Amino acid sequence: MSARAVPLDVLGAQNEASDPNVSAWVAANAGSGKTHVLAQRVIRLLLSGVDPAKILCITFTKAAAANMANRVFATLADWTALDDPGLDIAIETITGSGHVAR
């Protein structure tokens, strides 16, 4: 998969939609980033201390559910190899702040 440059206004909208403190309805064309937004929202819920057993994600296909789960697990796996400054940057990229519930 090739990386595409995402416009700043789109990144802002995705960040807003992935904020677990707000309700969001995401409807967009295929390949527009819906799965990315949902995976980011799950990660942000986990970072805020939500019990993983309390998170429910609904998709229309098993393939979409697997894709989203793989993205969440891949992100968390990548984070295990980061040093503290790198992890701070990764968390800030997703949340907009360096705060993690501990």
Side-chain angles (χ1 to χ4, degrees), residues 24-71:
W25 178 266
V26 179
N29 295 332
S32 61
K34 295 180 301 294
T35 302
H36 171 78
V37 169
L38 292 172
Q40 297 298 304
R41 191 171 178 104
V42 169
I43 293 167
R44 290 177 74 170
L45 285 165
L46 294 170
L47 287 171
S48 68
V50 172
D51 179 353
K54 302 286 184 187
I55 299 173
L56 172 66
C57 299
I58 300 171
T59 64
F60 287 106
T61 67
K62 288 180 183 178
N67 186 358
M68 186 171 54
N70 288 339
R71 288 179 188 222

